[in-house]
Amino acid sequence: MGTTVLQRLRAAGLQPTVARIGLLQVLESAAPGCLSADDLFQHMLQRGTRVSVGTVYRVVQQLLVAGLLVHEWDGQRRALYGIKPEGVDAQVVRLVCRGTGRTVMLADPELRARLLAAAAAQGQDLRGQALSVVVDGLVPMPARTTQRPRLVA
């Protein structure tokens, strides 16, 4: 069972404020996707929560430092923020669509280890860093049917 926004804030040592609670709730509703600070600001206004853009940026930085959010860049070099999955720390590999910014998180320690080894073979030390793989397109797989395909003679 997942923890609540209040429990996450308190566990991170942050006092629950209207802005912190609101931002986490907006990001939870967008999960597993990510939003820019401007998108967060617009969603907060649509919810009826009056905050300034400066407050959104300040709270996002506080939540990042507290380890409650993940941070990545989209194709236009805009920062995107999302809820950090529970129980998943540095073992996540994110697939990021270059065109849409859509993100899929893969909790696969073996894949991460292979990517780190491949980077090390190229002289790059990525240990402890978030790994994102940028792809040209993320297309959902079609839903599987429970019916067996018919053979045509």
Side-chain angles (χ1 to χ4, degrees), residues 26-35 70 72 80-83 101-105:
V26 167
L27 286 168
E28 277 184 342
S29 67
C34 297
L35 297 172
V70 292
E72 58 194 43
L80 300 176
Y81 306 96
I83 295 288
R102 180 171 170 251
T103 301
V104 175
M105 295 195 186

Side-chain angles (χ1 to χ4, degrees), residues 1-5 7-8 28 83-89 92 107:
M1 182 171 151
T3 58
T4 67
V5 168
Q7 290 170 329
R8 269 191 254 142
E28 277 184 342
I83 295 288
K84 186 176 198 177
E86 289 183 51
V88 177
D89 199 3
V92 150

Side-chain angles (χ1 to χ4, degrees), residues 31-106:
C34 297
L35 297 172
S36 71
D38 292 331
D39 293 336
L40 284 167
F41 174 69
Q42 292 300 322
H43 280 84
M44 293 287 282
L45 291 180
Q46 290 171 358
R47 291 171 47 122
T49 306
R50 294 177 51 122
V51 294
S52 69
V53 175
T55 298
V56 169
Y57 279 100
R58 180 178 44 79
V59 170
V60 163
Q61 287 305 311
Q62 291 169 350
L63 297 174
L64 274 170
V65 169
L68 297 175
L69 301 182
V70 292
H71 172 241
E72 58 194 43
W73 300 95
D74 70 2
Q76 291 82 39
R77 298 296 297 157
R78 287 185 322 154
L80 300 176
Y81 306 96
I83 295 288
K84 186 176 198 177
E86 289 183 51
V88 177
D89 199 3
Q91 297 304 311
V92 150
V93 175
R94 286 187 297 281
L95 299 179
V96 182
C97 178
R98 182 185 322 271
T100 65
R102 180 171 170 251
T103 301
V104 175
M105 295 195 186
L106 305 174

Side-chain angles (χ1 to χ4, degrees), residues 94-145:
R94 286 187 297 281
L95 299 179
V96 182
C97 178
R98 182 185 322 271
T100 65
R102 180 171 170 251
T103 301
V104 175
M105 295 195 186
L106 305 174
D108 188 338
E110 291 175 16
L111 173 61
R112 182 176 172 79
R114 289 183 17 228
L115 289 171
L116 290 174
Q122 297 296 317
Q124 304 299 313
D125 184 7
L126 302 178
R127 290 175 296 182
Q129 295 188 43
L131 291 182
S132 297
V133 178
V134 179
V135 297
D136 286 329
L138 288 175
V139 180
M141 294 181 70
R144 293 185 178 191
T145 61

Side-chain angles (χ1 to χ4, degrees), residues 5-38:
V5 168
L6 291 175
Q7 290 170 329
R8 269 191 254 142
L9 286 169
R10 289 184 180 130
L14 295 174
Q15 184 174 353
T17 64
V18 171
R20 289 175 183 154
I21 292 168
L23 282 176
L24 285 173
Q25 288 175 338
V26 167
L27 286 168
E28 277 184 342
S29 67
C34 297
L35 297 172
S36 71
D38 292 331

